[in-house]
Amino acid sequence: MRVTVKTLLEKKKKKEKAVLLTAYDYTLARIEDEEGIDVILVGDSVGMVLLGYEDTIPVTMEEMLVFLKAVRRGVERAMVVADMPFLSYQVSCEEAVRNAGRFLKEGADAVKLEGGREVLDKIKALINSGIPVMGHLGLNPQWVRQWGGYRRFGKTEKERKKIMEDALLLQDAGVFSIILESVSPSLAKEITEKLEIPVYGIGSGPHCDGQILVVHDILGFSPHIPSHAKVYVNLLEEARRAVRKYIEEVKGGVYPEEKDS
Ligand code: KIV
């Protein structure tokens, strides 16, 4: 059965954790789907993980669409969420709806965008157009140049109040779930308990309704692995070893056996 907004809500009611992971290509998306991941996010983290950008700011709609379409072809059961890249929704409600609509036409089940009250009008415009929206609060990587770096959120009372208020505003606007990134675990717990919609954490402790991580981080295949990610296999090291072995064998004249006929 396909995972829908309703499935995720029911999981929260039953206190069943949902498992979310990013994917950017057909092969990994297919593995994740077949192994039972609930939500696959085509994250704009692709900019750093696969495209070699310094942060997520340069990522474009056209780039995201290529990765979304590849993921869509590999997924039958999981919900596919497309991340709205920087400048695809900030300028106007009209642009936000047009870009999110493109994602839905190309196979996304929902879109995610960063921010609270600052982008509430855009979130409402999407929801009024029938587009399911996932919110993203706490550390919003698209704002990182303004903040001057990555950090934990919810350390001060003022910041805790703002994040809680934003979470409630987003819920009232009709988002179907919220991601909390690098939020103090105690605040993440409070928000998860207060909200009726599912709340998923990344670097925000164990109390949310589920967790999302970047797939290349858990596979040990990212250029920079953040401290909140558990690494389940060191693919970077395995890949280096395989490439070194290949170089050695080709130089040494060791080739796969080929028959003439
Ligand atoms: O782009 C992304 O991968 C994300 C997750 C880190 C939540 O937004």
Side-chain angles (χ1 to χ4, degrees):
M1 266 232 303
R2 274 180 83 149
V3 177
T4 65
V5 166
K6 263 194 190 165
T7 324
L8 299 175
L9 200 57
E10 265 148 34
K11 266 184 189 279
K12 171 153 185 148
K13 282 190 190 141
K14 288 192 269 180
K15 294 194 184 311
E16 242 179 64
K17 296 271 188 194
V19 191
L20 299 79
L21 202 53
T22 66
Y24 319 106
D25 68 290
Y26 170 83
T27 310
L28 274 177
R30 190 162 169 192
I31 292 173
E32 292 177 21
D33 191 45
E34 288 176 355
E35 293 302 328
I37 292 293
D38 296 303
V39 178
I40 296 180
L41 172 72
V42 186
D44 62 354
S45 50
V46 70
M48 292 153 90
V49 174
L50 289 188
L51 299 177
Y53 298 144
E54 193 187 324
D55 53 31
T56 58
I57 302 298
V59 178
T60 65
M61 275 298 295
E62 303 316 314
E63 286 167 338
M64 289 300 295
L65 281 163
V66 172
F67 296 110
L68 166 64
K69 287 192 260 184
V71 167
R72 181 72 274 170
R73 288 191 283 270
V75 175
E76 283 177 12
R77 179 190 154 274
M79 175 189 280
V80 174
V81 179
D83 213 1
M84 300 204 60
F86 181 66
L87 234 51
S88 69
Y89 60 94
Q90 287 90 342
V91 174
S92 69
C93 291
E94 221 173 87
E95 274 193 45
V97 172
R98 188 158 294 122
N99 285 321
R102 280 182 84 191
F103 277 153
L104 254 66
K105 281 179 184 286
E106 297 294 352
D109 297 309
V111 300
K112 172 172 88 59
L113 57 88
E114 297 180 11
R117 63 199 68 183
E118 309 82 2
V119 291
L120 199 60
D121 55 335
K122 316 299 186 310
I123 289 175
K124 284 182 179 168
L126 298 186
I127 291 166
N128 287 338
S129 308
I131 299 168
V133 177
M134 174 183 262
H136 185 161
L137 298 173
L139 196 165
N140 288 148
Q142 290 177 17
W143 302 61
V144 86
R145 292 197 194 174
Q146 195 178 68
W147 294 334
Y150 299 92
R151 65 173 178 89
R152 183 169 284 289
F153 280 73
K155 282 189 177 169
T156 63
E157 260 326 298
K158 192 172 163 213
E159 205 166 74
R160 290 174 79 91
K161 187 167 171 281
K162 180 183 184 294
I163 297 172
M164 174 61 90
E165 281 174 5
D166 280 350
L168 289 166
L169 282 171
L170 260 55
Q171 173 171 267
D172 288 349
V175 305
F176 72 89
S177 65
I178 295 176
I179 287 185
L180 295 179
E181 181 163 356
S182 296
V183 166
S184 301
S186 61
L187 176 60
K189 182 170 187 281
E190 265 178 49
I191 295 174
T192 305
E193 286 170 359
K194 184 136 189 162
L195 264 55
E196 281 162 28
I197 56 169
V199 176
Y200 306 122
I202 170 165
S204 300
H207 307 295
C208 295
D209 298 307
Q211 179 175 245
I212 180 158
L213 288 176
V214 169
V215 65
H216 288 68
D217 292 345
I218 69 162
L219 297 179
F221 208 50
S222 286
H224 310 287
I225 299 174
S227 57
H228 62 246
K230 179 168 174 187
V231 179
Y232 291 82
V233 55
N234 195 337
L235 281 193
L236 213 50
E237 196 40 53
E238 290 298 309
R240 277 186 191 283
R241 220 154 45 89
V243 171
R244 279 199 302 267
K245 184 81 183 151
Y246 174 68
I247 292 170
E248 187 189 304
E249 291 197 350
V250 173
K251 284 185 174 173
V254 182
Y255 288 77
E257 212 173 293
E258 301 284 353
K259 292 200 173 75
D260 271 343
S261 57

